[in-house]
Amino acid sequence: MKAPIRPLKAPVGLLGGTFDPIHIGHLRPAIEARDALRLEEIRLIPNHIPPHRAHPLCSSEQRLAMVKLAAAENRGFVVDERELKRDTPSWTIDTLIELRNELPDTPLCFLMGMDSLLSLASWHRWQELLDYAHLVVSSRPGWQPDYPAEMADLLARHQTTRVQALHQRLAGHIWLADNQPVALSATRLRALLEAGQDVRYLLPESVAHYIDQQGLYRATGQ
Ligand code: ATP
């Protein structure tokens, strides 16, 4: 006799990043994915950065505090601290395997920008990512969808344009999002902050306030 098929829960979105700092280029595509794909939740997963590589003025605690502020004002957004709690860099594949074990009936949608998809073949065990999650790829100004052969092949085998497909399987599809492109990077934002320029509307007000209070990203001597 066949085992009964368990109904799947609503999919959860996962967004990993350095979030140094978190900005609208992270948040807008995630909000649009939440709504377009009917995601139950968006988990923001700040990456561990080795201390010698971290921005000298911004600690993991401060990146986490900013991610928490951003999550607090967005419906369904939560913060997952697991990668920060390790003192070694985590591979995405390891985080996905852990989450799959914790959420056996929940489709996982790993969100990324087009820049990340284009460099996916350099990720550790990248061919296995789709065994554990769907990939939801947002467009990002500056990165055209000119796919290297192995990505074109991956898309040919895994792309879907049906929202329902992401609800009906735990993993294995790629969704190319038709999101409003946001031309912003944390690098650009840090440069603006260092130059003492006004960054209003580029990140949540609460985060801008925190950066100001903590004196983050300022040019030395400012
Ligand atoms: P940095 O400039 O410091 O490299 P970043 O702005 O690219 O940072 P990350 O924290 O490295 O931000 O990115 C985390 C994830 O968010 C990645 O998958 C990246 O592709 C995506 N992302 C970041 N900015 C954008 C954007 N403007 N549009 C779409 N996706 C984005």
Side-chain angles (χ1 to χ4, degrees):
M1 210 172 77
K2 275 190 188 166
I5 300 168
R6 281 181 301 183
L8 297 185
K9 298 193 171 141
V12 160
L14 311 170
L15 177 61
T18 47
F19 303 127
D20 186 19
I22 192 161
H23 56 72
I24 57 166
H26 303 123
L27 294 166
R28 277 303 315 169
I31 288 169
E32 291 184 30
R34 178 198 66 195
D35 294 348
L37 306 177
R38 303 193 309 273
L39 304 179
E40 179 71 15
E41 167 181 296
I42 298 281
R43 284 197 189 200
L44 301 171
I45 313 175
N47 299 155
H48 171 82
I49 303 181
H52 61 277
R53 271 190 41 211
H55 190 279
L57 298 177
C58 189
S59 64
S60 290
E61 290 72 27
Q62 288 166 324
R63 287 188 297 119
L64 175 63
M66 294 188 280
V67 171
K68 282 184 172 169
L69 287 168
E73 54 189 69
N74 283 290
R75 177 172 50 82
F77 280 52
V78 297
V79 182
D80 186 321
E81 299 180 29
R82 76 184 63 224
E83 294 194 2
L84 289 179
K85 286 186 179 146
R86 301 185 190 129
D87 53 6
T88 53
S90 343
W91 305 115
T92 297
I93 187 72
D94 295 333
T95 300
L96 291 181
I97 290 171
E98 271 187 32
L99 284 163
R100 169 54 59 231
N101 286 330
E102 290 166 27
L103 304 168
D105 304 327
T106 305
L108 299 175
C109 293
F110 190 79
L111 276 47
M112 62 172 65
M114 181 57 75
D115 55 313
S116 298
L117 180 66
L118 292 174
S119 66
L120 197 70
S122 66
W123 291 27
H124 184 55
R125 294 167 60 187
W126 68 277
Q127 278 110 334
E128 293 167 60
L129 297 171
L130 282 160
D131 295 339
Y132 298 95
H134 303 300
L135 300 184
V136 170
V137 184
S138 299
S139 63
R140 184 170 186 184
W143 282 272
Q144 303 309 317
D146 295 331
Y147 303 113
E150 51 198 348
M151 278 314 126
D153 178 53
L154 195 75
L155 278 162
R157 286 184 287 123
H158 295 276
Q159 191 182 352
T160 185
T161 53
R162 284 191 322 114
V163 173
Q164 209 43 29
L166 305 177
H167 286 244
Q168 286 166 340
R169 277 179 59 177
L170 290 169
H173 288 302
I174 302 178
W175 174 272
L176 297 182
D178 177 26
N179 59 297
Q180 171 65 44
V182 180
L184 184 64
S185 65
T187 305
R188 168 81 180 140
L189 197 45
R190 290 194 298 271
L192 291 172
L193 288 160
E194 193 175 343
Q197 294 190 19
D198 191 343
V199 293
R200 183 179 291 245
Y201 307 126
L202 297 179
L203 71 177
E205 251 182 71
S206 56
V207 178
H209 182 67
Y210 179 88
I211 289 172
D212 193 43
Q213 263 192 334
Q214 299 273 315
L216 298 178
Y217 309 116
R218 285 185 192 157
T220 36
Q222 233 183 312

